[in-house]
Amino acid sequence: MTDTATMAGLDPATLADVLRLAGSPGFDRIQDQIRRTGGCSDPIHLQGSTVTRDAATGLMLHCYSTETEPGGRLRVACGNRRASRCPSCAWTYAGDTYHLIRAGLVGDPAKGTPETIRDHPRVFATLTAPSFGPVHNRPGNRPCRCGTHHTEDAPELGTPLDPDTYDYEGAVLWNNHASDLWRYFTIYLRREIAKRAGLTQKDAKEQSRVSFGKVAEYQKRGAVHFHAVIRFDGPGGPDDPPPAWATLDLLTDSIHAAAARVEVDVPPSGDQPARTLRWGTQVDVRPIRAFGDGEDITEQAVASYVAKYATKAAETTGTVDRRIGSKEALVLLGVADHPARLIAACLDLHALYPDRKLRNWAHMLGFRGHFSTKSRSYSTTLGALRQTRADYRAAQQRAALGLPDDEEATTLTLAHWTYAGHGHTPGESWLAANIRRDIQHNREIAREELTGGVLDEHER
């Protein structure tokens, strides 16, 4: 806490708050609270109390009140999935997404999917946006259309070759309707499967089920595209083997055909013409083999990839991670030209398409859908994973307090909580960042020891 080397670069205000915090009588408890949140960047402050009683006799076994806490508050993690907002909570979210996707690939009876799921045909599909104008890119060994061989971190990558002719309105309207495009894709996919199997849609549904888990990712140009694990199951879901006709080739062909059929019409409004939105022509479908089977697209790689992008959003394109109410804010926030034009297009189109709420989602470049979704029978849910973690922590706490195992509901806990604010003081922010860094360092060491120095792609 008082390491001179780590405190040397602090600004005077933060340094003064760190010293105040270190000398406060409740410092050890504040540090413990922050550590329990994993170094959360913006913890929620709660005030209240809990009382645990014996369910049969009513005898009080334990009581807790925030009145004994420093400042009369308890800090809990914010739970934000965005890595730009809270790296600690984003790590937890990515871990949950990883286990959710992995359970639908390798099977996990504890998470509702049998290990025989590995024998089901499944693919990793990527559906992209169409072109809205040529942009700077890295086309293999060839130079960009501008004549330059761009480096991987070149700032101009993804920006238009000619911003004045780029279809910014079309780009944000496409993002805004991307969730509709996906919904229609899932409808057409089932139709194409039935068609290729020579069955009616009813018969195909009675013999098979299509499950998926997907995540949205922003390309450098600011367009959303979707990565999805798509799997064939039997009519009963993951526990049933798919029928003999439900092959990998049939699933692949059906995905390509369904993506080509999808159209979403946007009516004309003001100076904007009528548009028909479609998927881009670059639809990539790759088989996922059990245990990798010599393929580049392995179960582990897919789960890691999906988890990685579950915590990222439009801020990866140079925009901001919170709402923007006016074009003036773009200048004050220093948003780069290309994302600033996309945001400005959202603000301009809001009055023409008020039901699309483009102003509310301008910071997301128009996209208004959920970043990670899944079909009902794909695998477990994020809620179930979080409940398992909460139950584990509750069991640990009962054991530490000497309370009985509550599997048979032998105790009753009454709780009352109220919101009391959020965030950190400057000194607490510095402390949280150091705790988060130490936790991450310890995780990396543990993973290196577990894997023999070979780390997987999942950067939870």
Side-chain angles (χ1 to χ4, degrees):
M1 172 65 193
T2 57
D3 187 348
T4 304
T6 59
M7 296 175 63
L10 294 179
D11 62 86
T14 301
L15 179 59
D17 196 49
V18 168
L19 296 175
R20 176 200 63 79
L21 188 65
S24 65
F27 167 68
D28 289 340
R29 179 54 182 163
I30 292 174
Q31 185 173 233
D32 182 58
Q33 283 195 23
I34 295 175
R35 184 174 288 108
R36 286 174 179 272
T37 69
C40 176
S41 300
D42 189 24
I44 305 300
H45 296 191
L46 299 177
Q47 291 181 327
S49 62
T50 64
V51 176
T52 302
R53 297 182 180 275
D54 186 288
T57 66
L59 179 66
M60 185 173 67
L61 302 176
H62 175 71
C63 65
Y64 165 82
S65 172
T66 55
E67 291 180 359
T68 61
E69 299 285 1
R73 299 182 177 193
L74 177 68
R75 295 165 178 81
V76 297
C78 68
N80 198 305
R81 73 165 186 87
R82 292 175 182 263
S84 61
R85 290 285 190 92
C86 182
S88 173
C89 292
W91 184 90
T92 302
Y93 187 93
D96 287 346
T97 302
Y98 173 82
H99 288 291
L100 184 153
I101 295 296
R102 185 177 182 275
L105 288 172
V106 304
D108 188 338
K111 296 181 176 66
T113 51
E115 294 179 354
T116 54
I117 205 75
R118 278 183 154 161
D119 299 326
H120 295 204
R122 62 264 175 92
V123 299
F124 186 54
T126 300
L127 280 68
T128 64
S131 173
F132 304 104
V135 298
H136 294 276
N137 60 9
R138 303 178 70 245
N141 296 323
R142 295 176 286 117
C144 175
R145 291 177 61 175
C146 70
T148 302
H149 283 278
H150 296 298
T151 60
E152 291 186 5
D153 58 351
E156 60 269 25
L157 285 177
T159 62
L161 295 175
D162 183 3
D164 292 334
T165 61
Y166 193 79
D167 186 7
Y168 284 98
E169 291 79 9
V172 299
L173 285 172
W174 194 94
N175 281 348
N176 191 252
H177 290 80
S179 296
D180 297 321
L181 287 162
W182 174 263
R183 180 168 58 86
Y184 283 118
F185 165 75
T186 60
I187 294 172
Y188 284 127
L189 176 59
R190 292 176 174 86
R191 294 177 182 177
E192 292 296 331
I193 288 172
K195 177 181 176 181
R196 281 161 175 71
L199 301 170
T200 65
Q201 293 182 46
K202 180 181 179 181
D203 289 340
K205 184 177 180 180
E206 290 176 349
Q207 296 180 31
S208 69
R209 181 177 294 184
V210 178
S211 301
F212 71 85
K214 77 166 176 64
V215 67
E217 178 194 358
Y218 278 89
Q219 297 172 299
K220 286 185 177 294
R221 59 182 172 137
V224 169
H225 64 177
F226 293 119
H227 301 292
V229 175
I230 304 176
R231 187 188 70 217
F232 258 140
D233 292 332
D239 293 307
D240 277 357
W245 56 260
T247 64
L248 193 63
D249 288 340
L250 185 145
L251 179 60
T252 300
D253 291 344
S254 299
I255 290 171
H256 281 286
R261 285 185 60 182
V262 174
E263 294 182 349
V264 174
D265 292 326
V266 179
S269 182
D271 61 349
Q272 292 299 309
R275 300 173 186 267
T276 299
L277 307 178
R278 301 180 178 87
W279 293 108
T281 56
Q282 295 181 341
V283 177
D284 185 44
V285 184
R286 303 187 189 187
I288 305 171
R289 306 293 186 184
F291 302 95
D293 196 24
E295 298 286 335
D296 292 334
I297 304 299
T298 64
E299 298 156 334
Q300 184 78 5
V302 169
S304 299
Y305 193 85
V306 171
K308 177 180 178 180
Y309 285 102
T311 64
K312 299 182 179 181
E315 63 272 6
T316 59
T317 68
T319 180
V320 294
D321 59 5
R322 61 202 68 219
R323 290 188 178 183
I324 294 178
S326 67
K327 295 180 182 179
E328 290 75 15
L330 297 172
V331 178
L332 296 174
L333 294 169
V335 180
D337 181 67
H338 181 57
R341 290 193 182 211
L342 290 167
I343 293 171
C346 288
L347 297 175
D348 290 338
L349 291 172
H350 177 76
L352 301 180
Y353 302 97
D355 60 314
R356 303 304 302 181
K357 301 185 184 301
L358 284 156
R359 178 182 295 163
N360 295 346
W361 301 103
H363 66 298
M364 301 288 283
L365 310 183
F367 181 63
R368 55 185 288 187
H370 292 289
F371 268 79
S372 59
T373 60
K374 72 174 192 68
S375 59
R376 182 173 299 177
S377 62
Y378 175 78
S379 68
T380 185
T381 65
L382 291 176
L385 291 170
R386 291 164 182 162
Q387 186 60 52
T388 299
R389 185 164 55 248
D391 291 344
Y392 175 75
R393 290 175 176 172
Q396 281 187 314
Q397 185 177 22
R398 286 196 299 270
L401 295 172
L403 298 177
D405 189 342
D406 211 30
E407 289 186 0
E408 298 180 0
T410 59
T411 63
L412 177 66
T413 300
L414 304 176
H416 174 71
W417 298 104
T418 59
Y419 174 75
H422 68 96
H424 287 303
T425 67
E428 291 170 352
S429 291
W430 180 84
L431 177 59
N434 279 277
I435 288 174
R436 183 168 60 248
R437 181 197 61 200
D438 291 343
I439 291 173
Q440 180 63 28
H441 179 66
N442 291 337
R443 286 169 180 160
E444 290 174 357
I445 291 176
R447 286 167 58 198
E448 286 179 356
E449 292 177 350
L450 183 64
T451 61
V454 180
L455 302 182
D456 60 42
E457 297 178 23
H458 182 213
E459 301 174 351
R460 309 199 307 273

